[in-house]
Amino acid sequence: MPSRPVPPAAATPREGRSSLPGRGASARPSDAGEKKSVTVMTRNLYLGASLDPVIAAPTPVDLSVRGAEVWGRVQRSDIPDRARLLAAEIAAVQPLLVGLQEASLWRVRNGETGTPDAGAATRVVHDLLALLLDALAARGEHYEVVTGIENFDAEVHTAEGIGVRLTDRDVVLARSGTLTRNVTSGWYRARMPLTLGGPGGMPVEIPRGWNSVEAEVHGHWVRFVNTHLEVDAPAYAPTQVDQTRELIEMLDRETLPTILLGDINSAADGSSTPSYRLLREAGFEDAWERAHPGDGGHTFGHAEDLRNPEPVLSKRIDFILTRGPIEVRDAFVVGANPEARTAAGLWPSDHLGVVSTLQLRPKRQP
């Protein structure tokens, strides 16, 4: 639908704060040697359920039935409580910049039959982004949406007589007071066309996007890019690779130190698509690999209902990548601590978040 811009279980990766000597939860510079350091974070917030049953529905009737089932799973995922946990993660490490994926907006309309017109559902049930910002503010942590983009935006009429609309968004947050410039967002040309409900059903597209901002870090400018590439399932993989090539082309002539992060959907071990390898070949260094060479650091795999009792993570697809004069001081994950779950035992997301403290190395003046 049309979109528009908006202002096997592996060893669990190490979770927690930076291990640098003398550093606390804020991950802020504490001595002269760290004055040019910056902490950044990538976090897939999770829609609340897999959309695969809806996408694979063979008939309009199946689409309605499966739409109701998926909507039920989303509501059971307790988005408001998960937003509080996600805010607690951000508050604990206080990154300057945060790249968010799947900052979902769920809306409904009631009491109508037939396939609803696109965009007809307007009553907000869950706005994960607003919930997250409110939960941060309640903790005294103030972040602003610097740039965001709406990607997938479609509505399904469920068997219960409810029109359910999902708007998927990618967003960059910056700590209030951060100086920014050249703020942009956009969609990749490569995108997946689908027909919901089988032949003759509802045609939709799955656009994927990126956010970009230049931010001042201790008197120096850095380019910060957030993205969420297409999934790595066989039918979708060529689209993902095309998006990766577009991303590399977009950043090819960038002269500023660059931090590229997000849910790349390409396994670091090369077991899925070549997108991760292509980014590395384009000159991007992997913060996790630099900090923990040889550590698989898996970031994805919690159960769809988020109720698995222990972390079950199968691959590393969430990355903080850097290019230019940037040193990796540390990297760690959040979202794998069984004690940091909702009262009902749900994990904050099906992904882990990745955090890295980076240090700029300004060029020497002649």
Side-chain angles (χ1 to χ4, degrees), residues 333-358:
V333 297
V334 295
N337 181 2
E339 296 179 0
R341 291 183 289 173
T342 70
L346 278 68
W347 298 96
S349 170
D350 58 342
H351 289 247
L352 304 188
V354 184
V355 182
S356 185
T357 299
L358 308 169

Side-chain angles (χ1 to χ4, degrees), residues 40-43 89-90 93 95 97-99 224 261 320 334 354-355:
V40 298
M41 180 179 188
T42 179
R43 196 64 171 103
E89 294 175 354
I90 295 173
V93 296
L97 297 159
V98 186
F224 182 88
L261 50 69
I320 296 175
V334 295
V354 184
V355 182

